[in-house]
Amino acid sequence: MTAAARRVKWQYPVIAVAAVAAAGFGLVRPLVTADATPAASSKTKLSATDRVKKNPPPALFTDAQIADVTKQLRAEQHTADTLFAQWKKAHGTTRDDHAFTTWVEAHIPAPPSSTARAAELKQVQTLARTRTPVGKKAATWLEVYGKKDIWKVYLHDQREIVPTAVGKTDKTQLKAAFTLSKTITKQLVARYNSPAPYVLDTSLRPEKHIKAGAKCPCSYPSKHGALSAAAVTYLSNLNPHRAAEYQWMAAEVAYSRLYMAGHLPSDILAGALLGDLVGDYVLTTGGHTA
């Protein structure tokens, strides 16, 4: 999908929200800017859609900026689909979260060597020198809303055009994909204990105030990468016509994590592989054709 096409798709929801409070809120290339500060807490818990309505996306990164990340994520998805075919051949559509978790952990590669990670750190340091106020604003918004909220809004759009029972099932299954991705990511992060770029070079995020002896803020694999990939795989199956849009948003999220030194490239790709595998698993065990 071209940038122009996404802009056209973005205009209608913004106008609709302004005209009718109950209108849907589509997440595509925005033409508006906004403060990325999360919505203020209140007694009534806001839905993901309401949170994003209160803090709509600012101008995000250009297609040229995210081009390399987009290609890498697509390659990782192909790898995941090939790997998952092996699981499916052995287990069919039977759900066994424990066995699947063990299998995924065995198929996510260990972090690259210290030499390779040092080279990746240089890439992140180089990228950090290109930061702009606009880029920081985009990255901040994507960090806050890129884990789950974006994807919940996309699913909300999809649920508007399917029977209620189907929509509830889809919501449950996306939640299951998030939960499983988070669980596996947490276990692998604890296993590998790989410091985030801003820990290796504190000048990359001086506001983080890493204290000597503090527990490592670890980054392999990326949770943002895992949750985004799981969502893209799942949502693309529900609505193939918007798959390119979902892939674009996942690349935006991934690039933002490199831009603000939250992850190294290998962190992002490992997370994407993990999430793609989980997405395929949830689709297959949930009665879809993955």
Side-chain angles (χ1 to χ4, degrees):
M1 181 181 295
T2 65
R6 282 195 292 270
R7 289 189 180 99
V8 171
K9 290 189 69 177
W10 174 255
Q11 289 175 330
Y12 176 75
V14 173
I15 295 170
V17 168
V20 184
F25 192 88
L27 268 171
V28 289
R29 184 66 57 87
L31 294 178
V32 297
T33 58
D35 184 355
T37 304
S41 60
S42 63
K43 293 182 179 180
T44 302
K45 185 177 180 181
L46 296 176
S47 68
T49 300
D50 288 335
R51 286 192 293 271
V52 174
K53 281 182 181 179
K54 282 181 173 292
N55 295 280
L60 301 185
F61 299 106
T62 67
D63 288 349
Q65 287 176 292
I66 67 172
D68 287 343
V69 172
T70 300
K71 291 179 182 177
Q72 292 169 1
L73 293 180
R74 286 176 178 170
E76 211 62 55
Q77 188 172 43
H78 177 72
T79 299
D81 290 343
T82 301
L83 278 174
F84 185 76
Q86 300 174 15
W87 166 270
K88 187 175 181 180
K89 183 177 180 180
H91 299 270
T93 60
T94 302
R95 178 167 179 170
D96 187 339
D97 289 0
H98 178 72
F100 180 73
T101 296
T102 301
W103 180 83
V104 170
E105 290 180 2
H107 284 82
I108 301 300
S113 67
S114 57
T115 300
R117 286 182 70 80
E120 289 187 15
L121 178 61
K122 289 183 179 180
Q123 295 177 38
V124 172
Q125 290 167 330
T126 298
L127 183 60
R129 290 194 286 271
T130 70
R131 290 177 189 163
T132 65
V134 172
K136 289 181 180 180
K137 194 170 186 177
T140 300
W141 190 91
L142 288 161
E143 180 176 0
V144 173
Y145 298 100
K147 279 186 180 179
K148 294 182 180 180
D149 282 350
I150 290 171
W151 311 110
K152 289 180 179 179
V153 173
Y154 277 133
L155 181 62
H156 177 271
D157 290 348
Q158 173 67 14
R159 291 175 63 199
E160 292 292 296
I161 60 174
V162 298
T164 301
V166 174
K168 287 183 178 179
T169 297
D170 293 342
K171 182 179 180 180
T172 298
Q173 290 182 351
L174 181 62
K175 183 178 180 180
F178 283 153
T179 300
L180 192 54
S181 296
K182 183 177 179 180
T183 297
I184 300 174
T185 299
K186 183 178 180 180
Q187 292 175 186
L188 290 176
V189 165
R191 175 187 300 178
Y192 293 121
N193 204 37
S194 296
Y198 65 81
V199 177
L200 299 172
D201 179 356
T202 55
S203 70
L204 291 170
R205 294 290 296 272
E207 76 279 8
K208 288 291 188 178
H209 302 297
I210 306 302
K211 296 181 180 179
K215 184 179 180 181
C216 160
C218 300
S219 64
Y220 187 94
S222 164
K223 185 186 295 183
H224 275 82
L227 296 179
S228 293
V232 169
T233 298
Y234 184 78
L235 293 172
S236 294
N237 184 277
L238 300 186
N239 194 346
H241 296 293
R242 295 185 70 179
E245 185 181 334
Y246 303 147
Q247 291 166 356
W248 163 74
M249 182 56 78
E252 287 280 345
V253 173
Y255 183 81
S256 75
R257 306 303 294 138
L258 301 174
Y259 190 84
M260 293 305 293
H263 289 289
L264 297 174
S266 57
D267 301 340
I268 296 293
L269 295 181
L273 177 60
L274 189 162
D276 286 329
L277 288 170
V278 170
D280 281 340
Y281 172 75
V282 170
L283 284 169
T284 298
T285 58
H288 299 275
T289 302

